[in-house]
Amino acid sequence: MNVHPRGRSLNCNAAGHTDRTEMSDSTAGQLRTKISDGSAHVGIIGMGYVGLPLALAFVERGKIKVTGFDIDAKKTDALTRGESYIMYIGPERVRRARDLGLFDATSDLTRLKEPDALLIAVPTPLTPQRTPEMRYVVDTARQVRDALRRGQLVVLESTTYPGTTDELVCSILEESGLKCGEDFLLAFSPEREDPGNRQFSTTTIPKIVGGVTAGACDVASALYASAVEKVVRVSSARVAEATKLTENIFRAVNIALVNELKIIYDRMGIDVWDVLDAAATKPFGFMKFTPGPGLGGHCIPLDPFYLTWKAREYGLTTRFIELAGEVNIAMPQYVINKLQAALNQRGKPLRGSRVLVLGIAYKKDIDDPRESPSFELIELLLEREAEVSYHDPHILEMPRMRAHPHLRPMASQPLTEKFLGSVDAVLIATDHTTVDYAFVAKHARLILDTRGVYRGSHPNVVKA
Ligand SMILES: NC(=O)c1ccc[n+]([C@@H]2O[C@H](COP(=O)([O-])OP(=O)(O)OC[C@H]3O[C@@H](n4cnc5c(N)ncnc54)[C@H](O)[C@@H]3O)[C@@H](O)[C@H]2O)c1
């Protein structure tokens, strides 16, 4: 056993793979042959921000047949009609894949027995107590269990704590009576999707693959190699799970660091953006992270706490993660205090002031509002009795947010000279590139810039 005695684990061999009887060469060989001759059929469960681009990568690069599964029939119906519900995925890509006969989508989960490989990309959020919410993974594993047949490969892609694949998912799948490694193959391969990133896409981002058994790693690596340029094999599913968490923890901690530096330098009268631009000229030993109004998105604010939860099982605390969480969670309050002080200087109380929040997506140039700090900013403004409106070129109607059930629905306001002139302050929360910031600066009375949109000093811009 190569884990701490408090951790529940399967027996792992020196290479990190569990000691299991491997699937016979002929069964694994059939799957390998199908992968190499392009006749393998892939099922992707969860047609969201991760599942849909992955499906298109298999079709477009690998010419591999994909069926997309989702319990949300609105999504599968849209895909069947050849539509896309993700801003940066053009509907023509969905239509082309469908018309080639290489892509279909369904909410009929009895069809999970059809594909040779099932890749799982369902949500892994946190509970209100900030512990892993595993119900989507568990439900999906049970659906797969009920359809599982000999010779199938199952790969979990959802970000999660080390041990999910070889403890939780494996034990559910084995309730089928089939044995992991012997009858079916199981692996973990984390998704590293960065929505809206024009430099890297699903096919050009190297794909980490770790198997519960060596055979699973081999077959899963061969499959992914048809969809992505580079596959990186690691020694176990646990290493693959921990790799993904490490990447996101690295980001969360470094963002917290620059957020803290922003507060310190601001008090000293130093512009943190000037400092970061200058530091970024060092060709080694420095990586630029940028401050903001708080953390957003499905990953960075949530994933680190998967490790925190698992570490408790080993009697350990994750101090860097907790501290980063503390610093990042305090940012919206810091921004609102800065806004209040800036209005105060202009003889205006925040109460009754009209504030336009610019950007409610969690980062620029996307239409995804999940965990966006803009919602916390809006709540804080409303608590202090400001009149709030918002503009987001990519989110025309504010969706209902699970974590902010009391926010009344609003529509995005047009960024006209008249509207900008009618508000007391513009709070830039997301720096979408299509916004004309020179126009905003010309017509707004006061701008709170949390994203470093304006460099140098401007009479009506306060950096926060
Ligand atoms: N969005 C990102 O940028 C990103 C990047 C890297 C990793 N991830 C990780 O990938 C996973 C998926 O994230 P996402 O952003 O694609 O989520 P998403 O919410 O966009 O999509 C998940 C989909 O799964 C479907 N689903 C839920 N339960 C299901 C079930 N039992 N059967 C079938 N379908 C089901 C949902 O209806 C939804 O359409 C998460 O673990 C996330 O942390 C996300």
Side-chain angles (χ1 to χ4, degrees):
M1 189 87 81
N2 63 355
V3 292
H4 189 279
R6 286 187 223 205
R8 204 169 73 77
S9 176
L10 297 160
N11 288 328
C12 296
N13 61 26
H17 295 121
T18 50
D19 289 335
R20 295 176 171 279
T21 314
E22 289 278 7
M23 186 187 272
S24 76
D25 270 356
S26 62
T27 319
Q30 277 168 16
L31 192 45
R32 260 195 223 104
T33 308
K34 280 184 159 191
I35 292 167
S36 61
D37 69 16
S39 66
H41 176 191
V42 172
I44 299 182
I45 310 172
M47 282 285 96
Y49 284 90
V50 164
L52 182 55
L54 186 65
L56 294 173
F58 272 104
V59 169
E60 291 167 358
R61 189 179 152 92
K63 308 284 174 263
I64 300 261
K65 184 178 165 200
V66 177
T67 297
F69 293 88
D70 204 297
I71 44 171
D72 183 350
K74 282 206 282 306
K75 283 190 179 150
T76 53
D77 288 349
L79 294 172
T80 304
R81 289 192 301 270
E83 294 165 7
S84 166
Y85 37 80
I86 296 179
M87 190 187 107
Y88 61 95
I89 294 180
E92 67 290 346
R93 289 180 65 194
V94 178
R95 275 198 293 277
R96 205 180 314 124
R98 182 200 60 182
D99 296 346
L100 282 168
L102 289 177
F103 178 61
D104 70 332
T106 180
S107 50
D108 175 3
L109 302 176
T110 61
R111 288 188 54 203
L112 286 172
K113 59 175 143 344
E114 292 173 17
D116 301 296
L118 293 169
L119 317 182
I120 302 171
V122 296
T124 41
L126 291 176
T127 64
Q129 294 73 35
R130 302 189 81 68
T131 59
E133 172 58 276
M134 298 309 290
R135 99 185 121 101
Y136 302 98
V137 170
V138 168
D139 287 352
T140 307
R142 289 185 178 142
Q143 291 153 10
V144 173
R145 170 198 66 195
D146 294 345
L148 196 64
R149 61 175 170 79
R150 229 181 116 67
Q152 268 180 323
L153 165 71
V154 180
V155 186
L156 182 63
E157 294 237 357
S158 304
T159 308
T160 186
Y161 60 84
T164 307
T165 310
D166 66 17
E167 291 171 3
L168 182 69
V169 176
C170 184
S171 59
I172 295 172
L173 297 187
E174 287 193 334
E175 287 166 8
S176 63
L178 297 174
K179 284 268 156 272
C180 178
E182 209 175 315
D183 301 312
F184 67 92
L185 297 170
L186 181 60
F188 182 81
S189 178
E191 189 47 64
R192 290 163 144 180
E193 192 67 21
D194 184 16
N197 189 325
R198 287 171 208 278
Q199 210 183 340
F200 298 103
S201 64
T202 311
T203 51
T204 59
I205 300 170
K207 195 95 174 82
I208 303 282
V209 179
V212 172
T213 54
C217 187
D218 283 348
V219 175
S221 300
L223 179 68
Y224 283 112
S226 56
V228 303
E229 283 173 13
K230 186 172 181 194
V231 172
V232 180
R233 298 169 52 128
V234 297
S235 56
S236 65
R238 282 165 182 260
V239 168
E241 289 160 335
T243 303
K244 173 69 189 180
L245 288 186
T246 303
E247 291 166 6
N248 284 356
I249 291 164
F250 178 77
R251 280 193 67 72
V253 168
N254 280 288
I255 292 168
L257 177 65
V258 289
N259 277 335
E260 188 172 80
L261 292 177
K262 169 174 84 168
I263 295 170
I264 295 166
Y265 292 149
D266 182 67
R267 191 68 70 83
M268 295 175 172
I270 298 167
D271 186 330
V272 71
W273 298 95
D274 286 351
V275 173
L276 293 171
D277 284 349
T281 61
K282 186 178 179 186
F284 51 87
F286 182 81
M287 185 181 283
K288 188 177 174 187
F289 285 83
T290 50
L295 283 186
H298 187 325
C299 300
I300 312 296
L302 310 181
D303 300 346
F305 294 98
Y306 271 67
L307 190 67
T308 301
W309 177 82
K310 190 66 180 174
R312 277 190 216 120
E313 196 178 308
Y314 295 80
L316 297 171
T317 51
T318 52
R319 284 172 292 169
F320 271 100
I321 294 173
E322 301 284 359
L323 180 59
E326 216 175 279
V327 172
N328 288 328
I329 280 169
M331 292 318 293
Q333 190 72 61
Y334 169 78
V335 169
I336 298 302
N337 289 347
K338 286 284 285 188
L339 172 62
Q340 191 158 14
L343 282 166
N344 200 34
Q345 269 195 338
R346 286 157 176 80
K348 282 228 49 134
L350 181 52
R351 182 179 184 191
S353 285
R354 303 187 67 191
V355 181
L356 172 74
V357 174
L358 189 40
I360 61 166
Y362 77 82
K363 69 171 185 173
K364 68 173 164 188
D365 303 337
I366 62 166
D367 59 353
D368 187 351
R370 287 179 297 177
E371 309 292 327
S372 169
S374 300
F375 294 91
E376 182 64 21
L377 292 170
I378 293 171
E379 287 233 29
L380 290 172
L381 286 168
L382 292 172
E383 255 172 41
R384 296 189 192 187
E385 297 182 42
E387 277 182 45
V388 186
S389 54
Y390 86 94
H391 171 81
D392 193 303
H394 306 304
I395 307 177
L396 301 181
E397 297 285 335
M398 181 189 279
R400 283 223 166 272
M401 302 300 287
R402 201 168 49 115
H404 303 276
H406 310 301
L407 282 187
R408 66 182 168 81
M410 288 190 253
S412 173
Q413 296 296 323
L415 269 194
T416 58
E417 180 179 340
K418 189 166 168 224
F419 193 76
L420 286 168
S422 75
V423 296
D424 297 297
V426 174
L427 198 176
I428 299 177
T430 317
D431 49 343
H432 291 304
T433 45
T434 52
V435 171
D436 184 346
Y437 293 102
F439 181 80
V440 175
K442 190 164 166 210
H443 300 294
R445 273 174 247 168
L446 168 67
I447 298 171
L448 249 282
D449 178 10
T450 71
R451 297 286 189 177
V453 166
Y454 299 97
R455 296 301 163 96
S457 61
H458 298 258
N460 56 344
V461 175
V462 171
K463 296 183 185 176

PDB file of all heavy atoms in Angstrom, residues 161-186:
ATOM      1  N   TYR A 161     -10.919  15.149  -6.519  1.00  0.00           N
ATOM      2  CA  TYR A 161      -9.849  14.815  -5.568  1.00  0.00           C
ATOM      3  C   TYR A 161      -9.166  13.493  -5.964  1.00  0.00           C
ATOM      4  O   TYR A 161      -9.794  12.623  -6.587  1.00  0.00           O
ATOM      5  CB  TYR A 161     -10.408  14.722  -4.141  1.00  0.00           C
ATOM      6  CG  TYR A 161     -11.475  13.670  -3.963  1.00  0.00           C
ATOM      7  CD1 TYR A 161     -11.142  12.336  -3.725  1.00  0.00           C
ATOM      8  CD2 TYR A 161     -12.823  13.995  -4.046  1.00  0.00           C
ATOM      9  CE1 TYR A 161     -12.107  11.361  -3.578  1.00  0.00           C
ATOM     10  CE2 TYR A 161     -13.807  13.024  -3.897  1.00  0.00           C
ATOM     11  CZ  TYR A 161     -13.433  11.712  -3.659  1.00  0.00           C
ATOM     12  OH  TYR A 161     -14.390  10.741  -3.531  1.00  0.00           O
ATOM     13  N   PRO A 162      -7.887  13.342  -5.590  1.00  0.00           N
ATOM     14  CA  PRO A 162      -7.186  12.096  -5.925  1.00  0.00           C
ATOM     15  C   PRO A 162      -7.866  10.904  -5.247  1.00  0.00           C
ATOM     16  O   PRO A 162      -8.146  10.935  -4.046  1.00  0.00           O
ATOM     17  CB  PRO A 162      -5.780  12.305  -5.352  1.00  0.00           C
ATOM     18  CG  PRO A 162      -5.646  13.780  -5.172  1.00  0.00           C
ATOM     19  CD  PRO A 162      -7.012  14.311  -4.902  1.00  0.00           C
ATOM     20  N   GLY A 163      -8.143   9.904  -6.012  1.00  0.00           N
ATOM     21  CA  GLY A 163      -8.800   8.708  -5.475  1.00  0.00           C
ATOM     22  C   GLY A 163     -10.227   8.549  -5.994  1.00  0.00           C
ATOM     23  O   GLY A 163     -10.824   7.489  -5.843  1.00  0.00           O
ATOM     24  N   THR A 164     -10.767   9.586  -6.615  1.00  0.00           N
ATOM     25  CA  THR A 164     -12.155   9.496  -7.095  1.00  0.00           C
ATOM     26  C   THR A 164     -12.310   8.347  -8.090  1.00  0.00           C
ATOM     27  O   THR A 164     -13.261   7.569  -8.020  1.00  0.00           O
ATOM     28  CB  THR A 164     -12.578  10.809  -7.793  1.00  0.00           C
ATOM     29  OG1 THR A 164     -12.326  11.899  -6.924  1.00  0.00           O
ATOM     30  CG2 THR A 164     -14.048  10.777  -8.176  1.00  0.00           C
ATOM     31  N   THR A 165     -11.357   8.246  -9.023  1.00  0.00           N
ATOM     32  CA  THR A 165     -11.522   7.251 -10.085  1.00  0.00           C
ATOM     33  C   THR A 165     -11.351   5.838  -9.542  1.00  0.00           C
ATOM     34  O   THR A 165     -12.205   4.973  -9.759  1.00  0.00           O
ATOM     35  CB  THR A 165     -10.493   7.508 -11.216  1.00  0.00           C
ATOM     36  OG1 THR A 165     -10.581   8.885 -11.575  1.00  0.00           O
ATOM     37  CG2 THR A 165     -10.781   6.645 -12.438  1.00  0.00           C
ATOM     38  N   ASP A 166     -10.231   5.606  -8.786  1.00  0.00           N
ATOM     39  CA  ASP A 166      -9.980   4.212  -8.391  1.00  0.00           C
ATOM     40  C   ASP A 166     -10.718   3.808  -7.115  1.00  0.00           C
ATOM     41  O   ASP A 166     -10.747   2.633  -6.771  1.00  0.00           O
ATOM     42  CB  ASP A 166      -8.478   3.896  -8.352  1.00  0.00           C
ATOM     43  CG  ASP A 166      -7.714   4.649  -7.287  1.00  0.00           C
ATOM     44  OD1 ASP A 166      -8.339   5.173  -6.358  1.00  0.00           O
ATOM     45  OD2 ASP A 166      -6.475   4.706  -7.388  1.00  0.00           O
ATOM     46  N   GLU A 167     -11.319   4.773  -6.378  1.00  0.00           N
ATOM     47  CA  GLU A 167     -12.137   4.381  -5.221  1.00  0.00           C
ATOM     48  C   GLU A 167     -13.615   4.465  -5.599  1.00  0.00           C
ATOM     49  O   GLU A 167     -14.314   3.463  -5.702  1.00  0.00           O
ATOM     50  CB  GLU A 167     -11.901   5.336  -4.038  1.00  0.00           C
ATOM     51  CG  GLU A 167     -10.529   5.218  -3.408  1.00  0.00           C
ATOM     52  CD  GLU A 167     -10.255   6.317  -2.392  1.00  0.00           C
ATOM     53  OE1 GLU A 167     -11.148   7.153  -2.122  1.00  0.00           O
ATOM     54  OE2 GLU A 167      -9.120   6.360  -1.865  1.00  0.00           O
ATOM     55  N   LEU A 168     -14.071   5.705  -5.813  1.00  0.00           N
ATOM     56  CA  LEU A 168     -15.512   5.939  -5.963  1.00  0.00           C
ATOM     57  C   LEU A 168     -16.074   5.373  -7.268  1.00  0.00           C
ATOM     58  O   LEU A 168     -16.990   4.541  -7.261  1.00  0.00           O
ATOM     59  CB  LEU A 168     -15.758   7.454  -5.889  1.00  0.00           C
ATOM     60  CG  LEU A 168     -17.193   7.918  -5.982  1.00  0.00           C
ATOM     61  CD1 LEU A 168     -17.964   7.501  -4.737  1.00  0.00           C
ATOM     62  CD2 LEU A 168     -17.265   9.442  -6.143  1.00  0.00           C
ATOM     63  N   VAL A 169     -15.515   5.824  -8.395  1.00  0.00           N
ATOM     64  CA  VAL A 169     -16.087   5.426  -9.689  1.00  0.00           C
ATOM     65  C   VAL A 169     -15.901   3.925  -9.905  1.00  0.00           C
ATOM     66  O   VAL A 169     -16.831   3.218 -10.314  1.00  0.00           O
ATOM     67  CB  VAL A 169     -15.450   6.246 -10.850  1.00  0.00           C
ATOM     68  CG1 VAL A 169     -15.960   5.760 -12.203  1.00  0.00           C
ATOM     69  CG2 VAL A 169     -15.755   7.732 -10.671  1.00  0.00           C
ATOM     70  N   CYS A 170     -14.714   3.435  -9.577  1.00  0.00           N
ATOM     71  CA  CYS A 170     -14.429   2.018  -9.784  1.00  0.00           C
ATOM     72  C   CYS A 170     -15.413   1.149  -9.001  1.00  0.00           C
ATOM     73  O   CYS A 170     -15.970   0.180  -9.535  1.00  0.00           O
ATOM     74  CB  CYS A 170     -12.994   1.738  -9.349  1.00  0.00           C
ATOM     75  SG  CYS A 170     -12.508   0.055  -9.663  1.00  0.00           S
ATOM     76  N   SER A 171     -15.656   1.507  -7.732  1.00  0.00           N
ATOM     77  CA  SER A 171     -16.521   0.630  -6.929  1.00  0.00           C
ATOM     78  C   SER A 171     -17.952   0.655  -7.469  1.00  0.00           C
ATOM     79  O   SER A 171     -18.628  -0.377  -7.464  1.00  0.00           O
ATOM     80  CB  SER A 171     -16.465   1.001  -5.447  1.00  0.00           C
ATOM     81  OG  SER A 171     -16.882   2.322  -5.289  1.00  0.00           O
ATOM     82  N   ILE A 172     -18.410   1.793  -7.970  1.00  0.00           N
ATOM     83  CA  ILE A 172     -19.774   1.843  -8.534  1.00  0.00           C
ATOM     84  C   ILE A 172     -19.840   0.996  -9.814  1.00  0.00           C
ATOM     85  O   ILE A 172     -20.756   0.196  -9.996  1.00  0.00           O
ATOM     86  CB  ILE A 172     -20.208   3.304  -8.821  1.00  0.00           C
ATOM     87  CG1 ILE A 172     -20.304   4.088  -7.515  1.00  0.00           C
ATOM     88  CG2 ILE A 172     -21.549   3.334  -9.570  1.00  0.00           C
ATOM     89  CD1 ILE A 172     -20.545   5.578  -7.681  1.00  0.00           C
ATOM     90  N   LEU A 173     -18.823   1.140 -10.660  1.00  0.00           N
ATOM     91  CA  LEU A 173     -18.854   0.380 -11.929  1.00  0.00           C
ATOM     92  C   LEU A 173     -18.774  -1.132 -11.668  1.00  0.00           C
ATOM     93  O   LEU A 173     -19.406  -1.924 -12.381  1.00  0.00           O
ATOM     94  CB  LEU A 173     -17.718   0.815 -12.861  1.00  0.00           C
ATOM     95  CG  LEU A 173     -17.742   2.279 -13.333  1.00  0.00           C
ATOM     96  CD1 LEU A 173     -16.663   2.518 -14.383  1.00  0.00           C
ATOM     97  CD2 LEU A 173     -19.092   2.679 -13.900  1.00  0.00           C
ATOM     98  N   GLU A 174     -18.030  -1.506 -10.641  1.00  0.00           N
ATOM     99  CA  GLU A 174     -17.893  -2.952 -10.349  1.00  0.00           C
ATOM    100  C   GLU A 174     -19.172  -3.556  -9.767  1.00  0.00           C
ATOM    101  O   GLU A 174     -19.317  -4.780  -9.733  1.00  0.00           O
ATOM    102  CB  GLU A 174     -16.690  -3.194  -9.432  1.00  0.00           C
ATOM    103  CG  GLU A 174     -15.369  -3.016 -10.200  1.00  0.00           C
ATOM    104  CD  GLU A 174     -14.151  -3.542  -9.451  1.00  0.00           C
ATOM    105  OE1 GLU A 174     -14.195  -3.581  -8.205  1.00  0.00           O
ATOM    106  OE2 GLU A 174     -13.166  -3.919 -10.131  1.00  0.00           O
ATOM    107  N   GLU A 175     -20.125  -2.691  -9.342  1.00  0.00           N
ATOM    108  CA  GLU A 175     -21.435  -3.216  -8.908  1.00  0.00           C
ATOM    109  C   GLU A 175     -22.152  -3.916 -10.068  1.00  0.00           C
ATOM    110  O   GLU A 175     -23.096  -4.661  -9.871  1.00  0.00           O
ATOM    111  CB  GLU A 175     -22.323  -2.076  -8.383  1.00  0.00           C
ATOM    112  CG  GLU A 175     -21.894  -1.542  -7.028  1.00  0.00           C
ATOM    113  CD  GLU A 175     -22.566  -0.209  -6.686  1.00  0.00           C
ATOM    114  OE1 GLU A 175     -23.483   0.223  -7.441  1.00  0.00           O
ATOM    115  OE2 GLU A 175     -22.164   0.412  -5.690  1.00  0.00           O
ATOM    116  N   SER A 176     -21.668  -3.666 -11.278  1.00  0.00           N
ATOM    117  CA  SER A 176     -22.255  -4.315 -12.458  1.00  0.00           C
ATOM    118  C   SER A 176     -21.891  -5.797 -12.515  1.00  0.00           C
ATOM    119  O   SER A 176     -22.448  -6.550 -13.307  1.00  0.00           O
ATOM    120  CB  SER A 176     -21.735  -3.642 -13.733  1.00  0.00           C
ATOM    121  OG  SER A 176     -20.324  -3.840 -13.808  1.00  0.00           O
ATOM    122  N   GLY A 177     -20.917  -6.191 -11.682  1.00  0.00           N
ATOM    123  CA  GLY A 177     -20.432  -7.573 -11.745  1.00  0.00           C
ATOM    124  C   GLY A 177     -19.198  -7.688 -12.630  1.00  0.00           C
ATOM    125  O   GLY A 177     -18.508  -8.713 -12.622  1.00  0.00           O
ATOM    126  N   LEU A 178     -18.908  -6.635 -13.381  1.00  0.00           N
ATOM    127  CA  LEU A 178     -17.706  -6.644 -14.236  1.00  0.00           C
ATOM    128  C   LEU A 178     -16.516  -6.143 -13.419  1.00  0.00           C
ATOM    129  O   LEU A 178     -16.675  -5.313 -12.511  1.00  0.00           O
ATOM    130  CB  LEU A 178     -17.927  -5.751 -15.469  1.00  0.00           C
ATOM    131  CG  LEU A 178     -19.047  -6.202 -16.422  1.00  0.00           C
ATOM    132  CD1 LEU A 178     -19.257  -5.169 -17.521  1.00  0.00           C
ATOM    133  CD2 LEU A 178     -18.728  -7.562 -17.032  1.00  0.00           C
ATOM    134  N   LYS A 179     -15.327  -6.623 -13.739  1.00  0.00           N
ATOM    135  CA  LYS A 179     -14.128  -6.281 -12.968  1.00  0.00           C
ATOM    136  C   LYS A 179     -13.294  -5.249 -13.709  1.00  0.00           C
ATOM    137  O   LYS A 179     -13.013  -5.394 -14.900  1.00  0.00           O
ATOM    138  CB  LYS A 179     -13.272  -7.530 -12.744  1.00  0.00           C
ATOM    139  CG  LYS A 179     -13.816  -8.444 -11.689  1.00  0.00           C
ATOM    140  CD  LYS A 179     -13.193  -8.101 -10.311  1.00  0.00           C
ATOM    141  CE  LYS A 179     -14.049  -8.523  -9.120  1.00  0.00           C
ATOM    142  NZ  LYS A 179     -15.043  -7.583  -8.640  1.00  0.00           N
ATOM    143  N   CYS A 180     -12.882  -4.220 -12.940  1.00  0.00           N
ATOM    144  CA  CYS A 180     -12.049  -3.163 -13.512  1.00  0.00           C
ATOM    145  C   CYS A 180     -10.693  -3.743 -13.928  1.00  0.00           C
ATOM    146  O   CYS A 180     -10.065  -4.475 -13.159  1.00  0.00           O
ATOM    147  CB  CYS A 180     -11.858  -2.063 -12.470  1.00  0.00           C
ATOM    148  SG  CYS A 180     -10.812  -0.722 -13.012  1.00  0.00           S
ATOM    149  N   GLY A 181     -10.248  -3.425 -15.091  1.00  0.00           N
ATOM    150  CA  GLY A 181      -8.949  -3.910 -15.578  1.00  0.00           C
ATOM    151  C   GLY A 181      -9.087  -5.220 -16.327  1.00  0.00           C
ATOM    152  O   GLY A 181      -8.390  -5.444 -17.305  1.00  0.00           O
ATOM    153  N   GLU A 182     -10.025  -6.049 -15.846  1.00  0.00           N
ATOM    154  CA  GLU A 182     -10.191  -7.374 -16.439  1.00  0.00           C
ATOM    155  C   GLU A 182     -11.287  -7.330 -17.514  1.00  0.00           C
ATOM    156  O   GLU A 182     -11.112  -7.818 -18.623  1.00  0.00           O
ATOM    157  CB  GLU A 182     -10.617  -8.325 -15.324  1.00  0.00           C
ATOM    158  CG  GLU A 182     -10.202  -9.742 -15.491  1.00  0.00           C
ATOM    159  CD  GLU A 182     -10.584 -10.536 -14.236  1.00  0.00           C
ATOM    160  OE1 GLU A 182     -10.345 -10.058 -13.109  1.00  0.00           O
ATOM    161  OE2 GLU A 182     -11.162 -11.624 -14.410  1.00  0.00           O
ATOM    162  N   ASP A 183     -12.450  -6.717 -17.131  1.00  0.00           N
ATOM    163  CA  ASP A 183     -13.592  -6.693 -18.052  1.00  0.00           C
ATOM    164  C   ASP A 183     -13.779  -5.323 -18.720  1.00  0.00           C
ATOM    165  O   ASP A 183     -14.301  -5.218 -19.812  1.00  0.00           O
ATOM    166  CB  ASP A 183     -14.882  -7.037 -17.302  1.00  0.00           C
ATOM    167  CG  ASP A 183     -14.808  -8.413 -16.661  1.00  0.00           C
ATOM    168  OD1 ASP A 183     -14.401  -9.351 -17.368  1.00  0.00           O
ATOM    169  OD2 ASP A 183     -15.133  -8.533 -15.475  1.00  0.00           O
ATOM    170  N   PHE A 184     -13.437  -4.287 -17.978  1.00  0.00           N
ATOM    171  CA  PHE A 184     -13.520  -2.928 -18.558  1.00  0.00           C
ATOM    172  C   PHE A 184     -12.286  -2.156 -18.104  1.00  0.00           C
ATOM    173  O   PHE A 184     -11.604  -2.548 -17.146  1.00  0.00           O
ATOM    174  CB  PHE A 184     -14.809  -2.209 -18.130  1.00  0.00           C
ATOM    175  CG  PHE A 184     -14.887  -1.889 -16.663  1.00  0.00           C
ATOM    176  CD1 PHE A 184     -14.444  -0.675 -16.165  1.00  0.00           C
ATOM    177  CD2 PHE A 184     -15.403  -2.822 -15.762  1.00  0.00           C
ATOM    178  CE1 PHE A 184     -14.499  -0.383 -14.811  1.00  0.00           C
ATOM    179  CE2 PHE A 184     -15.457  -2.548 -14.399  1.00  0.00           C
ATOM    180  CZ  PHE A 184     -15.012  -1.325 -13.920  1.00  0.00           C
ATOM    181  N   LEU A 185     -11.994  -1.076 -18.826  1.00  0.00           N
ATOM    182  CA  LEU A 185     -10.815  -0.274 -18.509  1.00  0.00           C
ATOM    183  C   LEU A 185     -11.256   1.058 -17.924  1.00  0.00           C
ATOM    184  O   LEU A 185     -12.279   1.622 -18.350  1.00  0.00           O
ATOM    185  CB  LEU A 185      -9.991  -0.029 -19.777  1.00  0.00           C
ATOM    186  CG  LEU A 185      -9.409  -1.284 -20.433  1.00  0.00           C
ATOM    187  CD1 LEU A 185      -8.827  -0.953 -21.807  1.00  0.00           C
ATOM    188  CD2 LEU A 185      -8.327  -1.900 -19.544  1.00  0.00           C
ATOM    189  N   LEU A 186     -10.482   1.579 -16.965  1.00  0.00           N
ATOM    190  CA  LEU A 186     -10.876   2.824 -16.290  1.00  0.00           C
ATOM    191  C   LEU A 186      -9.658   3.738 -16.158  1.00  0.00           C
ATOM    192  O   LEU A 186      -8.584   3.308 -15.717  1.00  0.00           O
ATOM    193  CB  LEU A 186     -11.460   2.474 -14.907  1.00  0.00           C
ATOM    194  CG  LEU A 186     -11.951   3.630 -14.051  1.00  0.00           C
ATOM    195  CD1 LEU A 186     -13.079   4.416 -14.740  1.00  0.00           C
ATOM    196  CD2 LEU A 186     -12.452   3.098 -12.692  1.00  0.00           C
TER     197      LEU A 186
END
